[in-house]
């Protein structure tokens, strides 16, 4: 019996040891891949995390957050995650739904007074899935309070019948954030902090509260370790900042560290705010629009299936942030960068190192920004 126990223990130890070696080898291969791409594509800085079933199995930083001071990227460096902010807004919506404060079937007119008649058919589900038909706001004064901008788009005709198609737009999430403000009776920025960032241990990031003063200069809050974003113009690196007035915040503009986004993923895995049996029915499932599967899930995530592997996530910037979750395999792949010309693709490429069913897609591309 003793020999049998020793033999069994030896097998178990060997399996664990070999698993650790394999994980270490995989991590090294990812590092080699990332470093090669950064060198060839001249990407200034990156941060990558891989989470599996609530545990961080890789958290790595590469390159520089700021070329002026040669500041290295750290786990606390705050990257502009752009449209990946929508995943945080979606998380807020799921929590609000789970707490029975809102329903996807609710009409927008339930929360917003004096809605135009043609808004009567718009539901919360149309806002989160980009199928409302509400026109975007293009006036010169983009720094008006959200309430004023909602009033402005209420006067515009719908660009299509609600639920008849999907069109990626800012106004959908803007109107949704205004509804959150009615439900929670405080500004959206504070709601997202109180209901998502703080409970999910996202300690580093924030919105920079951009505001243009007298049309002469841009005022922002201080965010520790905030990256500078760059692009290559005629062979010379240029720093730039995409403008995010506050009415766009539910759809973009959040700065987050790799630790922040990893903690967000861990919290979803560990069902901190709502069970996966609840949220998965919305994150990974789509409705039919015009007779075909919608481009966005029931709560606004981009979904897909490759090689039989289901995933959902979002990108932003277009490639400043790239986040994919694979529900069956339990992985979340997070890629953050400060390269303003990088196209999404890093997270999908990295996923193939960990998920054997996925075919490799290792070609990373950039576009040319003006």
């Amino acid at each position: 019996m003793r020999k049998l126990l020793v033999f069994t223990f030896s097998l178990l130890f060997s399996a664990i040891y070999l698993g650790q070696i394999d994980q270490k080898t995989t991590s090294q291969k990812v590092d080699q891949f990332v470093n090669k791409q950064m060198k060839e594509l001249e990407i200034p800085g990156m941060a990558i995390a891989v989470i599996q079933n609530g545990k961080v199995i890789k958290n790595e930083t590469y390159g520089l957050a700021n070329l002026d001071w040669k500041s290295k990227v750290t786990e606390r460096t705050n990257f502009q995650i752009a449209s990946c902010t929508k995943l945080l807004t979606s998380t807020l919506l799921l929590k609000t739904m789970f707490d029975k404060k809102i329903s996807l079937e609710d009409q927008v007119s339930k929360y917003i007074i004096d809605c135009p008649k043609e808004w009567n058919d718009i539901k919360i589900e149309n806002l989160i899935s980009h199928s409302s038909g509400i026109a975007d706001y293009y006036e010169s004064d983009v720094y008006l309070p959200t309430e004023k901008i909602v009033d402005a788009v209420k006067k515009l005709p719908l660009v299509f019948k609600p639920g008849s198609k999907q069109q990626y737009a800012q106004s959908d999430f803007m109107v949704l954030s205004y509804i959150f403000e009615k439900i929670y009776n405080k500004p959206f920025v504070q709601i997202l902090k109180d209901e998502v960032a703080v409970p999910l241990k996202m300690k580093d990031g924030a919105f920079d509260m951009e505001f243009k003063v007298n049309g002469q200069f841009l005022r922002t809050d201080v965010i520790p370790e905030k990256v500078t974003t760059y692009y290559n113009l005629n062979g010379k690196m240029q720093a730039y900042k995409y403008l995010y007035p506050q009415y766009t915040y539910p759809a973009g503009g959040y700065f987050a560290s790799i630790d922040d986004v990893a903690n967000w993923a861990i919290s979803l895995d560990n069902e901190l705010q709502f069970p996966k049996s609840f949220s998965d029915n919305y994150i990974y499932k789509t409705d039919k629009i015009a007779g075909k599967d919608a481009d966005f899930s029931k709560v606004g995530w981009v979904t897909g299936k490759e090689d039989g592997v289901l995933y959902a996530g979002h990108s932003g910037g277009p490639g400043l942030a790239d986040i994919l979750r694979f529900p069956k395999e339990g992985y979340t792949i997070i890629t953050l960068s400060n390269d303003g010309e990088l196209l999404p693709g890093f997270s999908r490429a990295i996923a193939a190192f960990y998920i054997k069913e996925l075919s490799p897609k290792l070609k990373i591309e950039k576009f040319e920004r003006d």
Side-chain angles (χ1 to χ4, degrees):
M1 175 63 75
R2 184 178 178 183
K3 288 182 179 180
L4 179 61
L5 287 173
V6 170
F7 178 70
T8 303
F9 178 79
S10 298
L11 285 177
L12 179 62
F13 180 80
S14 297
I16 294 172
Y17 180 74
L18 288 172
Q20 290 174 338
I21 291 295
D22 180 64
Q23 195 177 105
K24 182 178 179 181
T25 301
T26 301
S27 181
Q28 289 173 343
K29 288 180 179 178
V30 171
D31 288 340
Q32 291 169 0
F33 169 71
V34 172
N35 286 318
K36 181 175 182 291
Q37 298 299 321
M38 289 184 69
K39 183 178 179 180
E40 291 180 354
L41 297 175
E42 298 182 341
I43 301 169
M46 295 188 70
I48 290 170
V50 179
I51 292 87
Q52 185 181 27
N53 296 322
K55 296 185 182 299
V56 178
I57 61 174
K58 184 174 182 61
N59 189 337
E60 195 67 48
T61 61
Y62 313 82
L64 299 176
N66 181 283
L67 299 181
D68 295 301
W69 291 89
K70 305 295 183 185
S71 304
K72 291 185 177 181
V73 176
T74 75
E75 290 86 354
R76 307 293 296 276
T77 296
N78 283 301
F79 288 83
Q80 173 57 258
I81 67 169
S83 286
C84 278
T85 308
K86 293 180 177 71
L87 295 179
L88 304 184
T89 302
S90 178
T91 304
L92 173 61
L93 176 60
L94 284 164
K95 181 184 185 299
T96 311
M97 289 165 55
F98 186 70
D99 292 342
K100 300 188 183 305
K101 294 179 180 179
I102 199 171
S103 167
L104 292 181
E105 293 295 318
D106 287 345
Q107 291 181 313
V108 167
S109 57
K110 175 181 177 180
Y111 303 94
I112 301 177
I113 61 172
D114 299 327
C115 279
K117 185 178 179 180
E118 59 180 353
W119 282 33
N120 286 345
D121 293 331
I122 300 176
K123 299 178 180 180
I124 300 300
E125 65 183 0
N126 300 126
L127 298 178
I128 195 66
S129 63
H130 301 287
S131 61
S132 74
I134 298 174
D136 270 340
Y137 177 81
Y138 290 114
E139 299 300 320
S140 57
D141 192 353
V142 296
Y143 293 95
L144 288 172
T146 299
E147 182 177 12
K148 297 292 185 183
I149 296 179
V150 170
D151 286 340
V153 298
K154 279 161 54 174
K155 297 174 184 176
L156 301 174
L158 295 180
V159 295
F160 56 84
K161 182 181 177 181
S164 65
K165 61 182 289 188
Q166 289 185 306
Q167 183 170 302
Y168 197 64
Q170 292 280 2
S171 283
D172 293 326
F173 275 63
M174 182 267 293
V175 173
L176 180 59
S177 73
Y178 184 61
I179 290 171
F180 284 136
E181 292 181 344
K182 296 295 183 182
I183 293 171
Y184 288 94
N185 197 30
K186 49 185 160 181
F188 174 76
V189 170
Q190 191 63 46
I191 299 168
L192 198 69
K193 180 179 180 180
D194 293 345
E195 303 296 327
V196 177
V198 171
L200 273 51
K201 299 181 181 178
M202 301 176 71
K203 301 175 182 178
D204 299 323
F207 295 103
D208 67 4
M209 304 307 294
E210 168 192 315
F211 189 80
K212 191 174 286 187
V213 180
N214 298 325
Q216 294 180 321
F217 67 90
L218 203 63
R219 181 182 71 209
T220 65
D221 285 356
V222 173
I223 296 180
E225 290 196 45
K226 182 171 75 172
V227 303
T228 302
T229 303
Y230 298 93
Y231 73 104
N232 191 310
L233 180 64
N234 300 323
K236 182 180 180 181
M237 296 301 285
Q238 301 283 309
Y240 84 100
K241 182 185 191 299
Y242 189 81
L243 298 181
Y244 281 105
Q246 292 176 35
Y247 83 93
T248 68
Y249 280 176
Y254 197 81
F255 288 86
S257 68
I258 196 68
D259 278 1
D260 275 351
V261 189
N263 283 336
W264 165 81
I266 290 167
S267 298
L268 292 183
D269 286 348
N270 292 338
E271 304 177 309
L272 186 64
Q273 292 188 309
F274 38 75
K276 286 189 282 188
S277 59
F278 167 78
S279 59
D280 284 4
N281 286 320
Y282 300 100
I283 291 174
Y284 302 102
K285 293 185 179 179
T286 59
D287 291 318
K288 294 282 186 181
I289 293 183
K292 60 181 182 179
D293 288 337
D295 296 325
F296 300 92
S297 76
K298 289 177 176 289
V299 285
W301 294 45
V302 179
T303 63
K305 199 169 192 178
E306 293 185 43
D307 305 315
V309 178
L310 176 68
Y311 63 86
H314 218 291
S315 63
L320 298 177
D322 190 21
I323 302 170
L324 293 178
R325 282 174 62 81
F326 299 84
K328 182 180 178 182
E329 295 74 20
Y331 283 101
T332 302
I333 314 294
I334 303 162
T335 306
L336 306 179
S337 87
N338 60 347
D339 190 314
E341 296 179 311
L342 189 64
L343 290 168
F346 253 107
S347 287
R348 171 59 180 84
I350 292 169
F353 286 91
Y354 292 91
I355 301 172
K356 65 180 185 302
E357 292 83 3
L358 282 177
S359 57
K361 282 192 174 180
L362 304 181
K363 184 176 176 56
I364 306 299
E365 297 181 300
K366 295 173 71 169
F367 73 102
E368 189 171 336
R369 189 178 290 275
D370 294 332

